[in-house]
Amino acid sequence: MTIQWFPGHMAKARRQVTEKLKLIDIVYELVDARIPVSSRNPMIDEIVSNKPRIILLNKADMADAKVTREWLDYFNLEGTTTKAIAIDSQSGKGLQQIGSLSKELLKGKFDKMQSRGIRPRAIRALIVGIPNVGKSTLINRLAKKNIAQTGDRPGVTKAQQWVKVGKELELLDTPGILWPKFEDQDVGYRLATTGAIKDTIINLQDIAVFALRFLSEAYPERLKDRYGLEEIPEDIVDLFDAIGSRRGCKMSGGLIDYDKTAELVIREIRQEKLGKLSLERPETLI
Ligand SMILES: Nc1nc2c(ncn2[C@@H]2O[C@H](COP(=O)(O)OP(=O)(O)OP(=O)(O)O)[C@@H](O)[C@H]2O)c(=O)[nH]1
């Protein structure tokens, strides 16, 4: 499997985000709660190092709640201006924490501005994240009916539009797109399993092999329950055979259709038929 990481992509994304950083007080880094590390841009720490940041573990409704709590502990280290919260942008769950946490992180800066006689203004934020992580859903959810363009900022050559969220928060309406980096094969597979990258990029059978091996280790009972298996065969081909045969994924002549089996498994994972899954946990990083 070769997935090319194009340096040109990275350089462009980096330039665009760096440009926008000048306009804002805080960064909301959106990641997928099921794969909080694989869905991050590995250079993000360096790119936004000088801004307070909230890591938003989005799609938490699809992740394993216990593992999400582990991630929150992992990211929420004392004494830093990077914090994390779990949200579900589709339903709006958890979003109310964003404003209050932003205020907390920016209290020092805004107090200072006030003491210098600068009029209080709304907090300005930029949402960054890899494609498909939920940036538009979050902006729409936060803006509700309050979508309003507040006009250009002086000194900014290119018109930047702002989306109002209540009186105290403004979002830059063009989120920063930071591509994931998947030189590491497993990162690519995790992104593919959750549907974050197009199915045409990695062979579906390869994704299913990865996903089934992962499930066998991390969620064996769910795998057994879903496909009516007494035991999980060690050999991956035997596992495909068992699932394919149970679910009627066969070619004419009765042989197991591995493409169909792979497609079924991946679809069912994405549809949460195997429950809420987290594909990586903090301890596996160490
Ligand atoms: N279950 C669930 N689905 C979500 C959530 N947030 C977003 N989605 C879904 O994820 C998909 C991608 O969301 P978008 O908002 O289009 O993602 P984006 O980051 O703007 O994507 P690009 O425009 O490709 O950069 C959509 O199908 C959303 O409905 C969430 O919190 N939970």
Side-chain angles (χ1 to χ4, degrees):
M1 180 190 78
T2 32
I3 304 175
Q4 275 301 330
W5 169 249
F6 298 111
H9 267 159
M10 179 51 123
K12 190 171 169 210
R14 185 198 175 108
R15 234 181 4 254
Q16 285 171 342
V17 172
T18 308
E19 204 45 44
K20 288 173 190 162
L21 285 180
K22 294 179 194 154
L23 307 169
I24 54 111
D25 302 304
I26 188 164
V27 170
Y28 299 150
E29 182 193 356
L30 209 54
V31 299
D32 187 318
R34 296 167 294 176
I35 46 170
V37 171
S38 294
S39 61
R40 289 184 99 183
N41 175 292
M43 286 171 81
I44 185 88
D45 288 340
E46 188 200 313
I47 297 173
V48 303
S49 62
N50 60 348
K51 293 279 174 189
R53 187 178 2 157
I54 304 180
I55 299 169
L56 300 169
L57 302 174
N58 192 39
K59 308 194 186 184
D61 54 304
M62 299 176 87
D64 184 333
K66 187 172 159 280
V67 180
T68 300
R69 281 194 295 277
E70 291 172 14
W71 281 115
L72 290 174
D73 290 342
Y74 173 85
F75 286 121
N76 276 318
L77 297 176
E78 295 263 330
T80 70
T81 52
T82 299
K83 299 288 170 216
I85 52 181
I87 61 168
D88 165 4
S89 296
Q90 217 161 46
S91 76
K93 208 169 159 207
L95 299 196
Q96 69 293 344
Q97 299 171 76
I98 297 177
S100 48
L101 187 54
S102 303
K103 270 197 203 162
E104 206 179 300
L105 287 171
L106 289 165
K107 191 173 180 313
K109 176 175 179 175
F110 278 70
D111 282 352
K112 215 187 238 166
M113 278 163 52
Q114 206 173 10
S115 69
R116 287 187 190 148
I118 300 170
R119 254 186 353 143
R121 60 161 174 81
I123 291 172
R124 295 172 194 153
L126 172 69
I127 293 173
V128 298
I130 66 169
N132 208 34
V133 77
K135 298 180 294 299
S136 311
T137 310
L138 175 63
I139 292 177
N140 289 335
R141 220 343 124 168
L142 283 173
K144 285 186 224 137
K145 292 188 196 78
N146 295 324
I147 289 205
Q149 291 164 350
T150 63
D152 303 351
R153 298 258 169 246
V156 181
T157 42
K158 224 167 110 191
Q160 299 282 351
Q161 301 295 341
W162 297 82
V163 174
K164 273 194 168 196
V165 181
K167 283 198 182 78
E168 298 182 313
L169 183 61
E170 290 177 5
L171 301 172
L172 205 50
D173 80 342
T174 39
I177 298 182
L178 289 173
W179 299 83
K181 187 173 180 180
F182 28 95
E183 260 166 17
D184 175 344
Q185 195 156 271
D186 284 358
V187 170
Y189 284 135
R190 287 188 201 108
L191 288 163
T193 304
T194 58
I197 52 178
K198 284 201 193 84
D199 286 338
T200 44
I201 295 182
I202 310 182
N203 175 285
L204 212 58
Q205 284 190 29
D206 282 349
I207 306 170
V209 166
F210 171 85
L212 286 170
R213 287 211 170 108
F214 168 77
L215 290 169
S216 307
E217 275 215 0
Y219 297 97
E221 293 312 316
R222 296 203 204 168
L223 188 58
K224 284 194 222 166
D225 284 354
R226 180 73 196 163
Y227 299 111
L229 310 169
E230 295 262 308
E231 286 306 322
I232 299 173
E234 258 183 47
D235 186 284
I236 194 74
V237 179
D238 292 344
L239 181 53
F240 265 75
D241 284 342
I243 296 172
S245 134
R246 276 262 162 193
R247 303 299 290 273
C249 302
K250 294 190 182 160
M251 300 190 282
S252 54
L255 290 174
I256 298 298
D257 185 331
Y258 294 111
D259 277 336
K260 233 186 212 172
T261 311
E263 200 265 328
L264 173 110
V265 168
I266 297 301
R267 189 180 62 235
E268 295 202 339
I269 289 173
R270 291 181 190 162
Q271 291 174 341
E272 296 178 70
K273 295 276 165 50
L274 287 102
K276 296 178 187 302
L277 299 172
S278 292
L279 298 173
E280 58 193 5
R281 347 172 43 126
E283 71 246 34
T284 51
L285 298 177
I286 302 155

